[in-house]
């Protein structure tokens, strides 16, 4: 992802387990409390099932598992993402809020899929190329950046 060094990007900060994530707000439709999930047969551990969101069955993915951690045990929120004409929900432990991050700050932190198993990334690419594009635009938020963001609503 290429950034203009003076630009700011709005991101949604969320948490799964001990990891913090910054998702580009342009792909986020809404956040909500976790809803009941109906399991579906799947070869992918990260697909939890389908949830009925605003009358539409939406696939729910475990964010922690999707990004290479163990399945989350404390899912309390959904972050719905727009993928073209479709949507899906990421199950996360918590949503922190919207922040502005500078292009320089984003360029210095690791992409969400950095360090993920190549097989997992290939599996995502095979199942949903648009999801892969959204995840590649997201970033891991290191602890020191999180502390600076937690102090205020200003841009970093």
């Amino acid at each position: 992802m290429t950034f203009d060094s003076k630009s700011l990007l709005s991101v949604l900060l969320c948490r799964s387990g001990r990891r913090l994530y910054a998702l580009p707000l342009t792909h986020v439709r809404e956040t909500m409390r976790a809803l009941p999930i109906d399991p579906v047969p799947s070869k992918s551990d990260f697909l939890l099932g389908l949830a009925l969101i605003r009358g539409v069955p939406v696939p729910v993915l475990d964010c922690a598992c999707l990004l290479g951690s163990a399945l989350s045990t404390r899912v309390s929120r959904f972050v719905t993402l727009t993928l073209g004409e479709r949507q899906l929900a990421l199950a996360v432990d918590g949503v922190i809020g919207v922040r502005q991050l500078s292009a320089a700050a984003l360029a210095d932190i690791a992409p969400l899929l950095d360090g993920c198993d190549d097989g997992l990334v290939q599996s995502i690419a095979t199942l949903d190329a648009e999801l892969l594009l959204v995840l590649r635009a997201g970033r891991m938020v290191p602890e020191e950046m999180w502390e600076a963001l937690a102090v205020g609503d200003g841009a970093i």
Side-chain angles (χ1 to χ4, degrees):
M1 177 175 237
T2 307
F3 302 104
D4 172 5
S5 62
K6 295 181 182 182
S7 66
L8 291 175
L9 180 67
S10 295
V11 297
L12 180 71
L13 296 176
C14 52
R15 177 180 29 83
S16 284
R18 299 183 72 165
R19 291 180 154 178
L20 296 165
Y21 310 106
L23 298 169
L25 207 53
T26 55
H27 299 291
V28 175
R29 180 169 182 187
E30 67 182 316
T31 66
M32 66 188 69
R33 65 178 173 75
L35 299 171
I37 300 170
D38 292 326
V40 295
S42 172
K43 294 181 182 178
S44 303
D45 291 339
F46 53 80
L47 177 60
L48 297 176
L50 297 173
L52 196 58
I53 299 176
R54 305 205 181 284
V56 177
V58 174
V60 178
L61 307 180
D62 184 295
C63 189
C65 184
L66 181 67
L67 299 173
S69 298
L71 280 171
S72 184
T73 57
R74 299 182 313 141
V75 169
S76 64
R77 306 285 295 173
F78 286 171
V79 176
T80 58
L81 302 175
T82 301
L83 305 173
E85 298 293 318
R86 301 171 296 113
Q87 65 178 326
L88 67 79
L90 289 178
V92 300
D93 296 347
V95 172
I96 290 116
V98 175
R99 297 292 190 278
Q100 300 290 314
L101 296 181
S102 71
L106 284 169
D108 287 342
I109 59 177
L112 284 182
L113 298 176
D114 200 35
C116 282
D117 175 57
D118 287 340
L120 178 64
V121 174
Q122 185 58 41
S123 175
I124 295 168
T126 301
L127 293 171
D128 196 324
E130 287 180 278
L131 173 60
L132 184 62
L133 290 173
V134 171
L135 293 176
R136 284 188 170 154
R139 295 289 189 261
M140 295 284 194
V141 178
E143 190 64 35
E144 58 275 3
M145 181 180 278
W146 161 239
E147 289 170 6
L149 288 167
V151 171
D153 294 321
I156 288 188

